[in-house]
Amino acid sequence: MGQSRNRRPTIIDVAERAGVSKSTAARALAGSSNITEETRERVVKAAEAVGYERNHLAVGMRSGRSGMLGLVIPDITNPFWADVARGAQDRAARAGASLLVFSSDWDPEAEAAHLRTLRRARVDGAIVNPVSDSFDDLDRFGLPCLFIGSSAERFPDISSVGSDIAQAVRLGLDHLVAKGHRAPALILGPKSRLARARFLRAVHEHCVERDIDPAIMPIEDGEYTVEGGREAMKRLLDQPRVGHLAVFAANDMMALGAMMAVRDAGLDCPRDVSVLGFDGIPSGEFAWPGLTTVAKPGRAIGERAVEGLFDEIEHKPEHRRIYMPCRLLERGSLADLSSMAPKRAAGAGRN
Amino acid sequence: MGQSRNRRPTIIDVAERAGVSKSTAARALAGSSNITEETRERVVKAAEAVGYERNHLAVGMRSGRSGMLGLVIPDITNPFWADVARGAQDRAARAGASLLVFSSDWDPEAEAAHLRTLRRARVDGAIVNPVSDSFDDLDRFGLPCLFIGSSAERFPDISSVGSDIAQAVRLGLDHLVAKGHRAPALILGPKSRLARARFLRAVHEHCVERDIDPAIMPIEDGEYTVEGGREAMKRLLDQPRVGHLAVFAANDMMALGAMMAVRDAGLDCPRDVSVLGFDGIPSGEFAWPGLTTVAKPGRAIGERAVEGLFDEIEHKPEHRRIYMPCRLLERGSLADLSSMAPKRAAGAGRN
DNA sequence: CTGAAAGCGCTAACAC
DNA sequence: GTGTTAGCGCTTTCAG
């Protein structure tokens, strides 16, 4: 039966079977033009007959293109990053490329190790959510590369794809205004985080447009976690206030924590307190009430990132920064004060 | 400066710099024994100096081992599978291997396409949650391979790793009994699903041990989705019943849907209805009340699967079936009837 | 202990 | 149009 049981058929097996040279076989399989239709057919049949499958290792070696891309994200277990990975995966597959996925756990060393692995694997390029602050580990990457997520801003020379924070904040704030909450309290991430500054800047821009004094919005900080949000909300509730309280949290986890704090305090969301989140994680859907939130387009970001990476690989184009629009997911954590403003007396105007 | 800017250094660059032949350089770098300590040092230094990084494509070609593994799961966006992927990733990385991740969306054609891609990429083996019913697409895989998840049972010849459904069901049922619910209603998946049969068999075993007539447990079917669970619970609530109702859902999504149906009916969980889930998805934590559930060890399954796959690749060992233990996540969706059984009169005994 | 040479599977020049 | 040849970067005999 020709080839032995343990050996995968090579192009030589195909060539022999078709009675041509291996280069002719290769040409036929590659769809090259300088080939008799009849020969091509014979080769294709032979390939099928022996069960030939192109060896991408060999192709990659010869052509310098492995057909693989790397993806380094903080944690595939995080729903946002899973979404990104899914988008990247699908887009890559559509182009016949495969994705090597790694989780860095926000650890610069792990990130560096993964990048090294990707380099050795000879991926054609990589998409990275940069953790490392120093450019050192990253610029030495020496491969086409595109950054993703808010931390990408730190690196002026590298193209990036991310969500449009300014648009997202405006979307959320506009929605709050429409519901009768003009100046919500803010629950933000740690001061050290770049995302926090961008979020706050967008809030200020909105305030200028709407002629609101940003200073009247209470702000609490916390870690980007449920516990962080819970504690921040607790502090917010301890402050004196009149009427309904509306809160815009910079992250769904924090928003979920905030809702817990509301319950802890014996209050009701959305009756006493309105909460707006930011991210769009699935858990928000099953909270009670459902968490209204501004959803980041994780999947689209992943897809767009792969496209951008391909550009980077092929044309080495001008550096680009792409922001994908977010959208509002209305569920139930926001009270509608707009129609009953008169009834709410003092509180309604202020909040 | 020797090598051009655009070329990655090869072992020849290292050899030249160290003043040895490329074979000696290779041996030194591979940690072979037949090398003078002094030579080795010189080579290693040279490698560092030129920034040498082994080309895994070339290594793979020569050695027949690419150092890559494939993972084909239904959807990386699903928290359970993300967990599995994370475990696999970490375990693979620890062994110096990389993971090619694909989502099949429960589509046999997509699965087949991904397997083909993996074969062409010359992965050393693959971990698959088989979707395809027919053995055809799969047995031709022709590579070391290990199945994962409950559908793996369909393939008697292939090793598999999954969660221990029997143990999980027992755990859940024992917990229900401890809380005073002897014969809960069951919300199960579609009759066509293998997992359903296994779940039900485990329930029956438990009943035999506890001397309970399984026939007294109401059963409703549904798709493994929120909507499926919601409708199933609705039907359950429409049935006549006495006292408290306890439900064991075969999947957290369904359990979450069931909790919604309880709310829809104007009832309260856990006061009127107790719900126990199965999976351990994060969303259950943020539902209100938190969903008590039996959690599958996704991460551990992923890790164990990679280990099993390595065995498969190396020793081609006897076929194995491995079941990983689940654990109970107690949150708040279960009423404790055990202490107040007398107060509850008729209902307590039955449920 | 080290060097020379062969070859993994493929593609791209270069002949004919 | 098709065959011949070289070589991608590496490891592994086989000599010395």
Side-chain angles (χ1 to χ4, degrees):
Chain A
M1 306 287 293
Q3 31 141 343
S4 86
R5 265 192 66 60
N6 298 331
R7 209 171 49 80
R8 322 261 300 261
T10 78
I11 198 156
I12 297 190
D13 299 312
V14 176
E16 278 175 1
R17 173 125 189 173
V20 295
S21 75
K22 61 178 183 157
S23 12
T24 304
R27 273 189 286 256
L29 261 15
S32 166
S33 50
N34 286 350
I35 280 277
T36 322
E37 186 50 44
E38 185 239 316
T39 317
R40 182 200 315 295
E41 226 167 79
R42 205 146 36 94
V43 171
V44 170
K45 281 229 178 71
E48 274 171 15
V50 301
Y52 171 72
E53 253 163 354
R54 217 198 229 84
N55 182 335
H56 267 72
L57 254 43
V59 173
M61 193 152 164
R62 196 51 249 236
S63 68
R65 288 278 282 262
S66 65
M68 301 188 300
L69 304 179
L71 177 67
V72 183
I73 52 180
D75 184 8
I76 189 69
T77 269
N78 173 313
F80 171 71
W81 291 114
D83 245 19
V84 171
R86 183 62 207 266
Q89 225 175 252
D90 291 352
R91 186 63 190 78
R94 215 143 48 78
S98 333
L99 211 60
L100 289 170
V101 184
F102 291 90
S103 298
S104 70
D105 273 322
W106 291 276
D107 172 9
E109 292 207 17
E111 174 178 83
H114 291 147
L115 291 179
R116 230 174 296 127
T117 302
L118 288 177
R119 237 159 16 209
R120 283 190 301 240
R122 288 321 194 246
V123 294
D124 296 329
I127 297 166
V128 183
N129 172 247
V131 174
S132 180
D133 273 320
S134 82
F135 198 64
D136 260 25
D137 307 331
L138 289 160
D139 72 338
R140 295 184 189 287
F141 185 52
L143 243 63
C145 149
L146 181 146
F147 285 172
I148 195 172
S150 38
S151 51
E153 308 267 308
R154 284 193 304 247
F155 305 90
D157 301 332
I158 297 177
S159 292
S160 72
V161 175
S163 25
D164 190 339
I165 307 273
Q167 175 262 354
V169 168
R170 190 159 312 149
L171 195 62
L173 256 12
D174 280 347
H175 187 68
L176 282 164
V177 167
K179 293 279 190 180
H181 315 278
R182 259 180 74 80
L186 268 23
I187 294 184
L188 304 179
K191 294 222 169 59
S192 59
R193 296 302 208 87
L194 214 79
R196 183 198 147 103
R198 285 212 289 158
F199 193 98
L200 207 46
R201 196 186 325 136
V203 170
H204 284 169
E205 279 164 20
H206 173 271
C207 286
V208 169
E209 284 169 25
R210 296 252 172 196
D211 201 25
I212 300 170
D213 177 9
I216 67 171
M217 298 195 267
I219 297 182
E220 285 294 339
D221 303 339
E223 287 299 320
Y224 282 125
T225 60
V226 172
E227 222 23 69
R230 192 175 202 155
E231 285 162 13
M233 180 55 115
K234 193 166 179 309
R235 289 193 297 274
L236 236 28
L237 292 173
D238 284 344
Q239 295 174 22
R241 92 198 105 92
V242 267
H244 190 92
L245 173 67
V247 175
F248 192 177
N251 160 300
D252 273 356
M253 286 298 210
M254 298 179 101
L256 256 8
M259 285 175 59
M260 287 181 177
V262 170
R263 231 175 353 238
D264 293 344
L267 298 172
D268 180 81
C269 171
R271 196 194 57 202
D272 308 307
V273 179
S274 291
V275 177
L276 175 62
F278 184 23
D279 258 2
I281 65 174
S283 294
E285 200 178 335
F286 305 107
W288 185 252
L291 176 64
T292 295
T293 190
V294 181
K296 290 180 183 169
R299 197 125 162 183
I301 289 176
E303 290 171 3
R304 195 70 188 72
V306 168
E307 283 165 15
L309 183 56
F310 279 143
D311 288 349
E312 213 72 25
I313 292 170
E314 274 151 31
H315 326 302
K316 271 278 168 214
E318 77 289 13
H319 153 81
R320 280 188 306 186
R321 196 126 279 175
I322 293 165
Y323 299 105
M324 308 289 288
C326 302
R327 61 184 230 286
L328 193 86
L329 253 42
E330 198 161 359
R331 295 200 273 228
S333 56
L334 254 55
D336 188 353
L337 265 42
S338 58
S339 53
M340 46 163 156
K343 275 203 274 183
R344 283 267 164 184
R350 196 174 177 287
N351 287 298
Chain B
M1 308 288 291
Q3 33 142 345
S4 88
R5 264 193 68 59
N6 299 331
R7 210 172 48 78
R8 322 261 300 260
T10 77
I11 198 158
I12 298 191
D13 298 312
V14 176
E16 277 176 3
R17 173 126 189 170
V20 296
S21 75
K22 62 176 183 159
S23 8
T24 305
R27 273 189 284 256
L29 261 16
S32 165
S33 50
N34 286 350
I35 280 278
T36 321
E37 187 50 44
E38 186 238 318
T39 317
R40 183 200 311 296
E41 228 167 78
R42 207 145 35 94
V43 171
V44 170
K45 281 230 178 71
E48 274 171 15
V50 300
Y52 172 72
E53 252 163 352
R54 217 197 229 88
N55 182 334
H56 266 78
L57 254 42
V59 173
M61 193 153 166
R62 195 50 245 243
S63 67
R65 288 279 280 264
S66 65
M68 300 188 303
L69 305 178
L71 177 67
V72 183
I73 52 179
D75 184 9
I76 188 71
T77 269
N78 173 312
F80 172 71
W81 290 115
D83 244 20
V84 171
R86 183 62 208 264
Q89 223 177 255
D90 290 352
R91 186 63 190 78
R94 215 141 49 78
S98 330
L99 209 61
L100 288 170
V101 184
F102 292 90
S103 298
S104 71
D105 273 323
W106 291 275
D107 172 9
E109 292 207 18
E111 173 178 81
H114 291 146
L115 291 179
R116 231 174 296 127
T117 301
L118 287 177
R119 234 155 22 205
R120 283 191 303 239
R122 291 312 195 253
V123 295
D124 297 328
I127 297 166
V128 182
N129 172 247
V131 175
S132 180
D133 273 321
S134 82
F135 200 63
D136 259 25
D137 307 332
L138 289 160
D139 73 336
R140 294 185 189 285
F141 184 53
L143 244 62
C145 150
L146 180 145
F147 285 171
I148 193 171
S150 37
S151 50
E153 308 267 307
R154 282 193 305 248
F155 305 90
D157 300 333
I158 297 177
S159 293
S160 71
V161 175
S163 26
D164 190 339
I165 306 273
Q167 175 261 356
V169 168
R170 190 157 314 148
L171 197 60
L173 256 14
D174 279 348
H175 186 66
L176 282 164
V177 167
K179 293 279 188 178
H181 316 277
R182 258 180 75 79
L186 268 22
I187 294 183
L188 303 179
K191 294 222 168 60
S192 58
R193 299 302 210 87
L194 213 81
R196 184 198 146 101
R198 284 211 288 159
F199 193 97
L200 208 45
R201 195 186 327 136
V203 171
H204 284 170
E205 279 165 19
H206 172 271
C207 286
V208 169
E209 283 169 25
R210 296 253 173 194
D211 201 26
I212 301 170
D213 177 9
I216 67 171
M217 298 195 265
I219 297 182
E220 286 293 339
D221 301 339
E223 288 299 319
Y224 282 126
T225 60
V226 172
E227 223 21 71
R230 192 175 201 155
E231 285 161 15
M233 180 54 116
K234 195 166 178 307
R235 291 194 296 274
L236 236 28
L237 291 174
D238 284 344
Q239 294 174 21
R241 94 199 102 92
V242 267
H244 191 93
L245 173 67
V247 175
F248 192 177
N251 158 302
D252 274 355
M253 285 298 207
M254 300 181 99
L256 256 8
M259 285 174 60
M260 288 181 178
V262 170
R263 234 177 350 237
D264 294 343
L267 297 172
D268 180 82
C269 171
R271 197 196 56 204
D272 309 308
V273 180
S274 291
V275 178
L276 176 63
F278 184 24
D279 258 2
I281 65 175
S283 293
E285 199 177 335
F286 305 107
W288 184 253
L291 176 64
T292 295
T293 190
V294 181
K296 290 180 184 169
R299 199 130 164 177
I301 289 176
E303 289 171 2
R304 196 68 188 74
V306 168
E307 283 165 14
L309 183 56
F310 280 142
D311 287 349
E312 212 72 23
I313 291 170
E314 276 152 28
H315 329 301
K316 272 278 168 215
E318 77 289 10
H319 154 81
R320 279 188 306 186
R321 197 126 278 175
I322 291 164
Y323 301 105
M324 308 289 288
C326 302
R327 60 185 230 286
L328 194 86
L329 253 41
E330 197 160 2
R331 295 199 273 229
S333 57
L334 253 56
D336 189 352
L337 266 41
S338 58
S339 53
M340 44 165 156
K343 276 203 271 181
R344 284 263 164 186
R350 197 174 178 283
N351 285 298

